Amino acid sequence: MRPLSEQDIRNSFVNCSKGEAKRLAIPRDLAERPWDDLDFLGWRDPGAPDRSYLVTEWAGRPTGVTLRFPSGQRGFLHRSMCSVCLTTHPGNGVSLMTARKAGTAGREGNSVGIYMCADLACSLYLRGKKQLDSGSRIGESLTLEQQIARATGHLSAFLDRLYA
């Protein structure tokens, strides 16, 4: 992913108002992010524990999405798999992220969802750059490039549903 500025990020959001995009918390460490290892930039809102944000290249431009997820606790023995990177996590490591649809449908309250790593570090798990405390990645015969293509395909399909 190419590095993005704060303004690039704020201008990219498709499922919130310009005012909401102007007020959301942007990570302060953009210069230190491992951009070459990211398929998308994802972060949680430190001021709103049920909100997170995702920005990725989609349809040839940066596209940002506001996401919400439930704050309910799951037991440590419960395991879930991320739909993007296929990493399994115990407890709350995977969460259903919901996004308001873009345009009129979103203003009417329609949304779509996807199960994702709660820390939004899918790209780093795929590449082995972030290790799991407990949990696992499935042993696969696909190359890393094929796994990345699959993950970005799953994310693109989710973004497509924002406009359907």
Side-chain angles (χ1 to χ4, degrees), residues 6 39 42 54 56 63 69 101 112 149 156:
E6 179 177 340
D39 303 308
L54 182 147
T56 190
T63 301
F69 56 96
K101 288 187 127 190
V112 294
S156 289

Side-chain angles (χ1 to χ4, degrees), residues 86-143:
L86 304 186
T87 300
T88 60
H89 295 271
N92 292 327
V94 171
S95 191
L96 174 63
M97 305 279 185
T98 58
R100 247 185 350 209
K101 288 187 127 190
T104 304
R107 289 189 293 277
E108 292 173 352
N110 296 317
S111 62
V112 294
I114 187 170
Y115 284 94
M116 289 185 70
C117 296
D119 61 3
L120 300 168
C122 302
S123 302
L124 301 178
Y125 290 127
L126 273 176
R127 291 165 174 81
K129 304 280 182 172
K130 185 169 184 179
Q131 300 304 314
L132 296 160
D133 293 333
S134 61
S136 62
R137 294 254 323 122
I138 300 172
E140 296 192 66
S141 59
L142 298 178
T143 66

Side-chain angles (χ1 to χ4, degrees), residues 22-127:
K22 186 177 181 182
R23 292 185 301 272
L24 60 83
I26 302 289
R28 298 194 185 280
D29 64 345
L30 291 176
E32 289 84 43
R33 293 286 172 134
W35 294 102
D36 291 338
D37 292 324
L38 297 179
D39 303 308
F40 63 88
L41 173 65
W43 72 99
R44 293 182 68 168
D45 190 328
D50 65 337
R51 274 192 221 152
S52 56
Y53 309 99
L54 182 147
V55 179
T56 190
E57 283 284 326
W58 184 74
R61 63 182 176 86
T63 301
V65 179
T66 61
L67 300 163
R68 290 192 177 266
F69 56 96
S71 58
Q73 296 290 326
R74 290 190 194 144
F76 188 75
L77 296 177
H78 179 88
R79 301 187 69 74
S80 299
M81 180 182 286
C82 173
S83 298
V84 174
C85 67
L86 304 186
T87 300
T88 60
H89 295 271
N92 292 327
V94 171
S95 191
L96 174 63
M97 305 279 185
T98 58
R100 247 185 350 209
K101 288 187 127 190
T104 304
R107 289 189 293 277
E108 292 173 352
N110 296 317
S111 62
V112 294
I114 187 170
Y115 284 94
M116 289 185 70
C117 296
D119 61 3
L120 300 168
C122 302
S123 302
L124 301 178
Y125 290 127
L126 273 176
R127 291 165 174 81

